[in-house]
Amino acid sequence: MTQPAFVRARRPEHKQQRREAILAAARELALRSGVRDVSLGGVAAAVGLAKSNVVRYFGTREEIYLELAAECWLDWAEAVTVRLRDATGPEAVVDALAETLAERPLLCDLLGNVSTSLEHNVSVPAARVFKRTVLGVVAGLGEQVARAHPALTAAEGLEVVGAAAGFAGTLYPVANPAPVLVELYAQDPDIAAACPSFLPTLKRLIAALVAGLPVIR
């Protein structure tokens, strides 16, 4: 099938539309096959552009996914805010953080790739926008966690939010193994038994941190 000829977007709204189309294509590909297996060429093909045209809007593949990660952090913040609005107590905090993360597989996948790959091939401005977004989300949610669970200070609330995201990024690839491991687990149930279930394990880790921070203060 012949690709349509590239027409440069000149008006600001058209440039924004093209950026959004690239992000949408990258999001869909990541949900289908995982962030690590999506190439810049794959994104370009999905959106109907040459790679050289995609980099007019995003310098690298990693910058595309770093921007998506920032969007996912903001979306997560909104969901946790709703959950904690009228909730109090440690269980409410744990459930709000863990369950909203489990509902966002793309965020969890991105969390596992940010430090290992997505921050390694981006411009300083792109990294700055991402880091400021994440720091703002963590600070805001940390205050909400401390308000919902008064045994925690605001600093400890921030620590809980950051750790919850870190736990999710570490657990997600383990709990969602590659095809070869799926085959292995089917053949060896004793090995499969060591594969953690994502949500229960995440809740346990966050709960342990929430319970332990006031003790070691």
Side-chain angles (χ1 to χ4, degrees), residues 97-216:
L97 294 173
E99 291 173 5
T100 52
L101 282 165
E103 291 164 358
R104 288 163 173 76
L106 178 57
L107 172 58
C108 294
D109 191 6
L110 287 163
L111 288 170
N113 282 274
V114 167
S115 296
T116 57
S117 64
L118 300 185
E119 293 179 336
H120 289 247
N121 189 30
V122 296
S123 66
V124 170
R128 179 180 293 113
V129 170
F130 173 71
K131 287 297 190 183
R132 290 198 180 280
T133 299
V134 173
L135 290 173
V137 167
V138 173
L141 290 183
E143 292 178 358
Q144 294 180 48
V145 165
R147 188 164 52 247
H149 184 25
L152 297 174
T153 65
E156 288 168 343
L158 185 152
E159 190 174 354
V160 168
V161 173
F167 292 152
T170 301
L171 277 172
Y172 184 80
V174 179
N176 295 272
V180 65
L181 289 181
V182 172
E183 183 177 351
L184 171 64
Y185 294 161
Q187 296 174 6
D188 295 82
D190 60 317
I191 299 177
C195 181
S197 179
F198 182 78
L199 183 56
T201 306
L202 182 59
K203 283 189 175 184
R204 183 175 176 82
L205 290 171
I206 299 172
L209 182 62
V210 168
L213 282 173
V215 176
I216 63 172

Side-chain angles (χ1 to χ4, degrees), residues 42-64:
V43 174
V47 80
L49 297 173
K51 286 196 292 184
S52 60
N53 293 327
V54 173
V55 298
R56 295 176 186 271
Y57 301 92
F58 298 92
T60 63
R61 162 197 175 273
E62 288 76 15
E63 287 192 10
I64 296 173

